[in-house]
Amino acid sequence: MPRAGLTPERVVREAGDLADEGGLAALTLSAVAGRLGVRQPSLYKHIDSLDGLQRGVSLAAKRDLGEALTRAAVGRSGPDAVRSVAAAYRSWVLDHPGRYAATVRAPDPDDEEDREVSAEVVSVVLAVLAAFDLEGDQAIDAARALRSAIHGFVSLEAAGGFGLPRDVDRSYEFLIDSLVAGLGRA
Amino acid sequence: MPRAGLTPERVVREAGDLADEGGLAALTLSAVAGRLGVRQPSLYKHIDSLDGLQRGVSLAAKRDLGEALTRAAVGRSGPDAVRSVAAAYRSWVLDHPGRYAATVRAPDPDDEEDREVSAEVVSVVLAVLAAFDLEGDQAIDAARALRSAIHGFVSLEAAGGFGLPRDVDRSYEFLIDSLVAGLGRA
DNA sequence: GGCTTATGGCTATAGTCAATAGCCAACGTC
DNA sequence: GACGTTGGCTATTGACTATAGCCATAAGCC
């Protein structure tokens, strides 16, 4: 038996690709193994469980999303930065629907690594709102609001939830612009 | 064998209860059958498939949510109506997390019945925004924005996505108030 | 009441999953 | 080149969806 040269990283990457192509439900160990040219039980040499694999996909996705958001934020501030980050968020999700779905699963509250990468995403959102002169709790509220709006929109969009024939790009701009206009004037 | 007196409605209701108690993942035919005092294959006399059962749970949930929103809207208008509907939406979801999760699954685009009950929810949102003098596409944009914001917030909340120790009720109020303030000023 | 038919339970079973046990060849180390 | 570790493998278990086919109950009809 020649070795396939697997690593946890390769398995996680392939699992992410599979999820993006066929939805999170298509992420089965058999399917991942098939893609890697290996039998299903062999994966257990590299992962703990299906749950662990999904966690791996989720962590990698959050890291990647966080980097994309950071890139979108550099050199910008205020409403401009918010719009840029929001656009980057949505476009990342549309490119990686399955990986994004993996990030949504409720994490174990004392999963330190997960908290860390999640905090990074939140920190970009907080940083981008810094120019709005919100203090203390209001800054947290605003970050939650922006995250909620973006997450809600892209989730509904990904689930095919927008039935009416209205341009989705414009609706997204409207949402972000409205929220930006409303922050601090509530 | 005494008959258990099942109906599709009872099966769907029990399935919804199960989903609310243990999460959508806990919704298995064996578990539903166990609750109804019946063997798993017997359910197939009342439902088509697990997928069909989930669709049933989703439709019933959307109907129930729609009614709750309608009740919250009557006799109110403007920002007051928006806040009332938003509060009703969130509280319904917190009461029925599993049923709500069932509604999120991407429906078949030509499922007429699903389109109908989904449209009812959207129509409440549109009605509640009527006082904001938005015309044509802007009304659709605003409805999408409000739905996205609410859905995003409650989804993140249900998934345990708000780590920081800030009161969640107040963050929700902030979100809705900010959006209301921003509508029309974008 | 008795006959017929449709219906709603049941057992048995196939097929797909995740997961574990235990085997053996390939590789690294000395 | 021998040795231990590692990364594949087959076989198997148990949970799940789903189907096939049985039979008692309930409903309708004379």
Side-chain angles (χ1 to χ4, degrees):
Chain A
M1 323 169 188
R3 301 229 168 159
L6 299 188
T7 61
E9 289 70 29
R10 270 202 71 197
V11 176
V12 166
R13 180 153 41 86
E14 204 69 38
D17 288 349
L18 189 61
D20 283 340
E21 291 167 23
L24 195 54
L27 177 49
T28 68
L29 293 183
S30 314
V32 174
R35 282 191 169 224
L36 293 167
V38 126
R39 301 289 186 157
Q40 176 251 2
S42 306
L43 295 180
Y44 284 89
K45 298 289 180 175
H46 307 281
I47 60 168
D48 281 354
S49 62
L50 176 63
D51 215 65
L53 177 58
Q54 289 181 338
R55 173 178 173 274
V57 172
S58 166
L59 287 178
K62 283 177 180 173
R63 259 188 278 268
D64 198 39
L65 173 60
E67 285 167 22
L69 299 186
T70 303
R71 275 195 301 277
V74 296
R76 297 171 191 267
S77 70
D80 183 38
V82 172
R83 275 187 275 266
S84 175
V85 166
Y89 197 116
R90 174 162 172 251
S91 112
W92 191 93
V93 174
L94 295 182
D95 280 349
H96 307 97
R99 284 178 162 93
Y100 186 67
T103 68
V104 174
R105 295 179 52 233
D108 181 347
D110 41 46
D111 178 340
E112 209 46 60
E113 202 177 353
D114 185 279
R115 286 167 55 109
E116 193 177 302
V117 294
S118 299
E120 199 201 314
V121 171
V122 173
S123 83
V124 178
V125 176
L126 275 170
V128 127
L129 289 168
F132 285 79
D133 273 342
L134 301 156
E135 47 191 48
D137 286 346
Q138 285 223 323
I140 296 179
D141 288 343
R144 287 179 175 174
L146 186 55
R147 251 182 94 206
S148 295
I150 294 173
H151 167 69
F153 191 96
V154 299
S155 298
L156 290 176
E157 180 179 14
F162 295 136
L164 300 169
R166 159 66 174 157
D167 186 75
V168 178
D169 291 8
R170 288 180 190 276
S171 289
Y172 190 61
E173 282 177 29
F174 180 93
L175 167 64
I176 301 303
D177 288 347
S178 296
L179 196 57
V180 165
L183 286 180
R185 292 186 213 181
Chain B
M1 326 167 187
R3 302 230 168 158
L6 299 188
T7 61
E9 289 70 30
R10 270 203 72 197
V11 177
V12 165
R13 180 153 40 86
E14 204 69 37
D17 289 348
L18 189 61
D20 283 339
E21 290 167 23
L24 195 52
L27 176 48
T28 70
L29 294 184
S30 315
V32 174
R35 282 191 168 223
L36 292 167
V38 126
R39 302 291 186 156
Q40 175 252 0
S42 306
L43 296 180
Y44 284 90
K45 299 287 180 176
H46 307 281
I47 59 168
D48 281 353
S49 62
L50 176 62
D51 213 65
L53 177 59
Q54 288 181 338
R55 173 178 172 274
V57 172
S58 165
L59 287 178
K62 283 177 180 174
R63 259 188 278 267
D64 198 38
L65 173 60
E67 285 167 22
L69 299 187
T70 303
R71 275 195 301 278
V74 295
R76 297 171 192 268
S77 68
D80 182 40
V82 172
R83 275 186 275 266
S84 175
V85 166
Y89 196 116
R90 175 162 171 251
S91 113
W92 191 92
V93 173
L94 295 181
D95 280 350
H96 306 96
R99 285 179 161 92
Y100 186 67
T103 69
V104 175
R105 296 179 51 234
D108 180 346
D110 40 48
D111 179 339
E112 208 47 60
E113 202 177 352
D114 186 280
R115 286 167 55 110
E116 193 177 302
V117 294
S118 300
E120 198 201 314
V121 172
V122 173
S123 82
V124 179
V125 176
L126 276 170
V128 130
L129 290 168
F132 285 79
D133 273 344
L134 301 156
E135 45 190 50
D137 286 346
Q138 285 223 322
I140 297 178
D141 288 343
R144 285 179 176 173
L146 186 55
R147 251 182 94 206
S148 295
I150 294 174
H151 167 67
F153 191 96
V154 298
S155 299
L156 290 177
E157 181 180 13
F162 295 135
L164 300 169
R166 157 68 173 155
D167 187 74
V168 178
D169 293 6
R170 288 179 190 275
S171 289
Y172 190 61
E173 282 177 29
F174 180 93
L175 167 64
I176 301 302
D177 288 347
S178 296
L179 196 57
V180 165
L183 286 179
R185 290 187 215 179

